[in-house]
Amino acid sequence: MFSSSQFEPNSAFSGGGFMSSQAYESSSSTAKNREFQGLVPVTVKQITECFQSGGEKSGLVINGISLTNVSLVGLVCDKDDSKVTEVRFTLDDGTGRIDCKRWVNETFDAREMESVRDGTYVRLNGHLKTFQGKTQLLVFSVRPIMDFNEVTFHYIECIHFYSQNSESKGQQAGDVTQSVNTTFQGGSNTNQAVPLNPVVSSQNDGNGRKNLDDMILDYLKQPACTARQQGIHIDEIAQQLKIPKNKLEGVIQSLEGDGLIYSTIDEYHFKHVEL
Amino acid sequence: MDTSSPSAFVNGALLRRYIGQKVRTVIQVIGSDTGSVVGKSTDDLQIVVRGPSTTPPLTTYLEVIGIAESDNSIRAETWTNFGNTFDPQNYNELCKLASGEFKHLFI
């Protein structure tokens, strides 16, 4: 009486839909340099290293991200405010020293710079510029540090930012090893009395799908699964494919976003979209 | 721009690795004398800091930047009062990371 597919896959997701999980987005875009307009926490050593490797023309690039605005924490040295409109000083953050310049045009700026003395720890936000072979920081914000946990925090933030960006670059390599493992697991299931066809993903359809996607799709495409109107629960998929559920969740969201599977009676049951 | 005098982040245990080199660390002040301060490192080892003869008022935590003389003493070039509400555990973990996996970001 009822048609086998009671749901209109398109309308179920009209106007909403899921965004692919972020991990997928970033792994496909790591190949190219990303333009990052935010404020990057760095150490002076990182600035000098990237300058040396890039050369003047290329602009400053750290971890594949071209930098302009940076945040630093360090000690002020050699403050020189002999000129009325500009204050120069050196920032020593323990990993190196960098020349800084601050244009003082308003009384606000002048007041800000008064509180900065030699030997004070400050938080600087500024713009990296290369001039006549030297890298300089054009500072637009200076604040003396009151709570010194900020010093610890800054360096940890530099480490965090660095490792996040190295990680997303390495993720492609990481995913390859993951998919190799899951393929092996999928293959070993054939001996069990389970309706799972050997999922050895020799098909590489070339649109960048990783093996985990294929495994889920192949599983859901099987007649035993498509016949079930209420769809397959994610726990069952995890059990059958022997993959932890948390790994599946992101992949399933992205497959849903791409319109290849859809959720049925609730957000945990899925079926393959039959066209 | 000059990276010729970087200072390594150390705690008590890491200090011995940088003897003769410039280091920085934060100690919890236990006692002070003319010309020297005795403190506890972030990993609970005792460190003696020899510094300028006039010791200004010290807060609980003190950051010392100087040359490591032995595995438990530093000859300070600069020191900065780090206040009374500093978290030594965080700093300790930072020292481990900065001397280990992420050393190239610092030295």
Side-chain angles (χ1 to χ4, degrees):
Chain A
M1 222 173 13
F2 293 106
S3 63
S4 62
S5 57
Q6 297 187 6
F7 291 89
E8 293 280 309
N10 294 331
S11 63
F13 291 109
S14 61
F18 289 97
M19 298 307 290
S20 334
S21 66
Q22 206 176 351
Y24 264 60
E25 297 273 30
S26 57
S27 66
S28 58
S29 66
T30 45
K32 39 190 197 279
N33 279 350
R34 279 175 285 162
E35 275 300 319
F36 187 76
Q37 299 301 324
L39 201 59
V40 180
V42 288
T43 61
V44 174
K45 173 109 200 293
Q46 282 178 287
I47 296 176
T48 49
E49 276 191 336
C50 76
F51 173 71
Q52 279 159 11
S53 56
E56 267 195 53
K57 292 271 167 65
S58 67
L60 291 156
V61 173
I62 289 185
N63 299 340
I65 299 171
S66 64
L67 280 197
T68 42
N69 293 326
V70 290
S71 184
L72 287 154
V73 163
L75 281 163
V76 169
C77 319
D78 305 329
K79 183 180 172 193
D80 168 21
D81 50 5
S82 50
K83 297 205 195 117
V84 178
T85 50
E86 86 176 27
V87 176
R88 288 166 171 271
F89 56 93
T90 311
L91 187 83
D92 181 347
D93 76 340
T95 69
R97 297 173 149 230
I98 186 170
D99 291 329
C100 303
K101 210 189 316 194
R102 178 102 205 277
W103 299 109
V104 176
N105 296 318
E106 318 259 316
T107 44
F108 170 77
D109 302 335
R111 245 184 289 134
E112 204 180 64
M113 292 316 290
E114 260 171 45
S115 58
V116 168
R117 297 193 194 290
D118 276 4
T120 15
Y121 260 102
V122 293
R123 158 78 72 177
L124 286 187
N125 299 318
H127 192 73
L128 279 175
K129 269 231 142 40
T130 348
F131 180 67
Q132 292 176 347
K134 275 189 1 170
T135 306
Q136 254 194 4
L137 196 61
L138 282 179
V139 174
F140 46 76
S141 146
V142 181
R143 181 173 48 78
I145 289 191
M146 296 300 170
D147 182 340
F148 290 91
N149 287 305
E150 188 170 355
V151 177
T152 317
F153 169 73
H154 170 71
Y155 293 111
I156 293 179
E157 209 187 15
C158 295
I159 292 177
H160 176 68
F161 188 83
Y162 171 83
S163 72
Q164 258 199 333
N165 291 298
S166 316
E167 203 181 84
S168 57
K169 269 181 162 184
Q171 201 178 47
Q172 292 210 321
D175 283 332
V176 169
T177 42
Q178 181 199 337
S179 56
V180 166
N181 289 336
T182 52
T183 321
F184 182 76
Q185 285 177 345
S188 70
N189 276 344
T190 49
N191 295 330
Q192 302 170 23
V194 164
L196 178 66
N197 297 328
V199 185
V200 178
S201 303
S202 54
Q203 75 255 36
N204 187 356
D205 50 10
N207 66 352
R209 290 241 164 266
K210 302 194 175 57
N211 286 339
L212 193 51
D213 295 30
D214 288 333
M215 287 178 69
I216 296 175
L217 285 175
D218 288 339
Y219 178 67
L220 290 177
K221 275 187 207 168
Q222 290 178 74
C225 293
T226 55
R228 288 158 65 175
Q229 285 189 10
Q230 72 271 31
I232 315 296
H233 196 285
I234 189 173
D235 287 344
E236 190 183 322
I237 303 180
Q239 224 180 7
Q240 295 293 352
L241 299 179
K242 299 269 196 300
I243 293 169
K245 193 169 140 186
N246 50 359
K247 281 202 183 146
L248 285 184
E249 272 161 10
V251 178
I252 285 196
Q253 270 191 0
S254 109
L255 285 174
E256 245 187 321
D258 291 338
L260 292 162
I261 64 175
Y262 62 100
S263 58
T264 54
I265 54 174
D266 65 23
E267 65 204 45
Y268 300 111
H269 287 81
F270 297 94
K271 266 178 75 98
H272 179 252
V273 171
E274 292 153 67
L275 299 164
Chain B
M1 209 170 41
D2 159 28
T3 48
S4 57
S5 64
S7 43
F9 280 90
V10 298
N11 56 15
L14 292 165
L15 185 57
R16 68 198 62 211
R17 276 207 239 162
Y18 296 95
I19 295 181
Q21 297 178 51
K22 194 164 174 196
V23 295
R24 71 197 313 198
T25 188
V26 173
I27 56 172
Q28 186 179 348
V29 177
I30 299 178
S32 72
D33 210 348
T34 36
S36 73
V37 173
V38 176
K40 193 169 61 147
S41 69
T42 51
D43 54 349
D44 289 337
L45 294 173
Q46 184 165 301
I47 294 197
V48 176
V49 177
R50 271 174 256 287
S53 44
T54 51
T55 38
L58 299 171
T59 55
T60 312
Y61 292 95
L62 180 71
E63 185 199 40
V64 175
I65 304 179
I67 308 290
E69 288 184 325
S70 73
D71 61 357
N72 64 356
S73 73
I74 300 177
R75 188 178 71 242
E77 293 170 358
T78 14
W79 55 31
T80 315
N81 276 324
F82 258 32
N84 303 322
T85 55
F86 185 75
D87 185 339
Q89 274 178 325
N90 269 338
Y91 192 85
N92 202 39
E93 294 303 318
L94 172 63
C95 292
K96 291 190 210 162
L97 289 170
S99 313
E101 206 181 329
F102 299 97
K103 196 166 171 183
H104 56 282
L105 299 180
F106 295 90
I107 306 206

